[in-house]
């Protein structure tokens, strides 16, 4: 019997495993090897690992975890969860049945690419979600922002720290008159029409062709497609979720426990605001520590 099974062995899951391994707890980490930022050439903002390929950071972490005899890293998918606190069972796609006293869900989210030719191919290179992750490299250049709702207005204010050359692409969405007035006051053009195609995709250049016949060329395009959890295990357990403008996340308390006793969660699966490798690692570490402390005699 494991003390903890961790489902999703990327930044959050491995950080949880590290704390649990150091506390000499028996842990199995299941992972399918598809971290959210795998499309990006480099990961930015993680102290000590800035500007490294994300898969290299994870490979290094896995090597370091090999020091800990109680941690087992498994390349495999968790397919179902049953049981209750102190006696959970996880079935893997390979047919293995694993038992654990606690579970940590850290299986992340999947960004849902719009049905626009060229968009998915550009994701992580010329179309990116986060200025903290990719803004420094293109500071001062011409940025585009695909409007995804009223929350995009905050992005406009945020982006000003990196560039004063921004174009908003309404992409068929309503932009309220007061917001349009504010954008005009800031000297930010708004281009109406739906994006029909991303015509050029490659490093740091995106040409958005619109259904109006016009096109917008920018050095980098910021977009926030909706996302959804990478697995549906939480649904089968009926775990409480929170709806956000970009998708649902799992509800956790201050000890990172979900609505079901003994099941903890961390990383993008729980984090609607500013998801990042740093946040996922911190939340994962805390989930590991809280899960361990919940098992003390
Ligand atoms: C294009 C792009 C660029 C980014 N750049 C940066 C950056 O520069 N800096 C930064 O800090 N953040 C960046 N991010 C955000 C960062 O990717 C996430 O915040 C981070 O990956 C979240 O870590 P996580 O462990 O929660 O989830 P993930 O890294 O998404 O990992 C989830 C893991 O769970 C696995 N999994 C899923 N389902 C199952 C299952 N059923 N069984 C077993 N395993 C499963 C997946 O294969 C995956 O390995 C970027 C995101 C994107 C989209």
């Amino acid at each position: 019997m494991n003390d903890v099974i961790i489902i999703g062995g990327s930044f959050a899951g491995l950080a949880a495993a590290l704390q649990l391994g150091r506390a000499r707890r028996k842990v199995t980490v299941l992972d399918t090897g598809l971290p959210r930022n795998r499309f990006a050439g480099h990961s930015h903002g993680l102290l000590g690992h800035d500007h490294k390929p994300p898969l290299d950071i994870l490979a290094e972490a896995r090597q370091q975890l090999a020091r800990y005899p109680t941690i087992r890293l498994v390349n495999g998918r968790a397919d179902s969860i049953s049981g209750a606190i102190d006696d959970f069972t996880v079935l893997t796609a390979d047919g293995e049945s694993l038992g654990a006293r606690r579970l940590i869900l850290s299986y992340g989210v999947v960004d849902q690419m719009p049905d626009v030719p060229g968009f998915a191919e550009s994701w992580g290179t010329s179309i990116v979600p986060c200025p903290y992750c990719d803004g420094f490299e293109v500071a001062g250049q011409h940025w585009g922002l695909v409007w995804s709702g009223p929350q995009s207005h905050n992005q406009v204010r945020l982006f000003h720290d990196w560039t004063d050359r921004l174009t908003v692409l309404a992409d068929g969405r309503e932009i309220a008159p007061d917001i349009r007035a504010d954008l005009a006051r800031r000297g930010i053009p708004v281009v109406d029409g739906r994006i029909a195609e991303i015509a050029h995709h490659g490093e740091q250049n995106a040409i958005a062709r619109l259904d109006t016949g016009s096109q917008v060329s920018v050095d980098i395009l910021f977009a926030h497609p909706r996302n959804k959890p990478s697995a549906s295990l939480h649904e089968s357990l009926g775990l409480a979720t929170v709806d956000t403008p970009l998708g649902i996340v799992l509800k956790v308390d201050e000890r990172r426990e979900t609505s079901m006793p003994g099941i903890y969660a961390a990383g993008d699966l729980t984090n609607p605001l500013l998801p990042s490798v740093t946040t996922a690692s911190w939340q994962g570490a805390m989930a590991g520590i809280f899960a361990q402390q919940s098992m003390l005699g």
Side-chain angles (χ1 to χ4, degrees), residues 8 10-12 30-34 36-37 44 78 133 267-268 276-277:
S10 176
F11 302 100
L30 296 167
D31 186 54
T32 47
L34 298 171
R36 188 180 187 182
N37 56 355
H44 297 110
C133 303
D268 285 8
S276 75
V277 167

Side-chain angles (χ1 to χ4, degrees), residues 44 51 124-145 159-166 202-206 218-222:
H44 297 110
H51 202 67
T125 50
S126 55
I127 306 181
V128 295
C130 155
Y132 295 98
C133 303
D134 293 298
F136 182 85
E137 284 68 26
V138 286
Q141 297 186 29
H142 185 188
W143 293 17
L145 171 64
F159 286 5
H160 189 66
D161 267 9
W162 284 273
T163 189
D164 54 10
R165 294 164 65 206
L166 176 65
E203 286 284 328
Q204 295 178 5
N205 178 259
V218 291
D219 295 308
I220 192 122
L221 194 56
F222 284 79

Side-chain angles (χ1 to χ4, degrees), residues 9-239:
S10 176
F11 302 100
L14 294 180
L18 180 56
Q19 299 302 327
L20 287 158
R22 292 190 59 76
R24 306 187 307 150
R25 290 287 180 169
K26 192 173 173 209
V27 185
T28 295
V29 183
L30 296 167
D31 186 54
T32 47
L34 298 171
R36 188 180 187 182
N37 56 355
R38 65 190 179 280
F39 307 99
H42 296 93
S43 170
H44 297 110
L46 179 65
L47 190 65
H49 295 283
D50 192 39
H51 202 67
K52 278 191 190 170
L55 297 181
D56 287 4
I57 301 174
L58 288 168
E60 200 179 327
R62 273 189 218 101
Q63 265 175 19
Q64 291 175 354
L65 288 174
R67 279 183 69 209
Y68 298 94
T70 58
I71 299 177
R72 179 178 169 230
L73 301 180
V74 177
N75 294 324
R77 192 177 73 225
D79 264 359
S80 76
I81 297 171
S82 57
I85 187 165
D86 285 326
D87 189 18
F88 290 108
T89 301
V90 176
L91 289 181
T92 73
D94 297 334
E96 196 178 356
S97 173
L98 300 163
R101 296 181 61 194
R102 302 287 183 273
L103 300 178
I104 296 177
L105 308 184
S106 46
Y107 46 77
V109 300
V110 178
D111 294 295
Q112 295 177 285
M113 295 294 106
D115 190 16
V116 170
F119 194 105
E121 294 86 340
S122 307
W123 185 241
T125 50
S126 55
I127 306 181
V128 295
C130 155
Y132 295 98
C133 303
D134 293 298
F136 182 85
E137 284 68 26
V138 286
Q141 297 186 29
H142 185 188
W143 293 17
L145 171 64
V146 181
W147 201 260
S148 53
Q151 68 277 5
S152 296
H153 198 191
N154 294 332
Q155 300 285 322
V156 168
R157 295 177 53 228
L158 185 66
F159 286 5
H160 189 66
D161 267 9
W162 284 273
T163 189
D164 54 10
R165 294 164 65 206
L166 176 65
T167 297
V168 164
L169 288 85
D171 197 23
R173 290 195 176 76
E174 191 92 346
I175 303 179
D178 59 324
I179 295 180
R180 280 191 186 258
D182 181 65
L183 296 175
R185 187 181 60 77
R186 293 171 189 272
I188 296 170
V190 178
V191 183
D192 287 309
R194 270 192 177 281
I195 300 175
E197 184 188 358
I198 301 296
H200 179 85
H201 41 86
E203 286 284 328
Q204 295 178 5
N205 178 259
I207 298 171
R209 292 217 169 106
L210 307 176
D211 62 358
T212 54
S214 63
Q215 64 179 39
V216 180
S217 177
V218 291
D219 295 308
I220 192 122
L221 194 56
F222 284 79
H224 305 95
R226 279 185 70 80
N227 60 65
K228 64 172 190 181
S230 299
S232 56
L233 299 168
H234 58 281
E235 283 175 20
S236 55
L237 295 165
L239 299 186

Side-chain angles (χ1 to χ4, degrees), residues 230-251:
S230 299
S232 56
L233 299 168
H234 58 281
E235 283 175 20
S236 55
L237 295 165
L239 299 186
T241 56
V242 181
D243 221 346
T244 81
L246 293 181
I248 65 150
V249 291
L250 296 198
K251 190 172 179 183

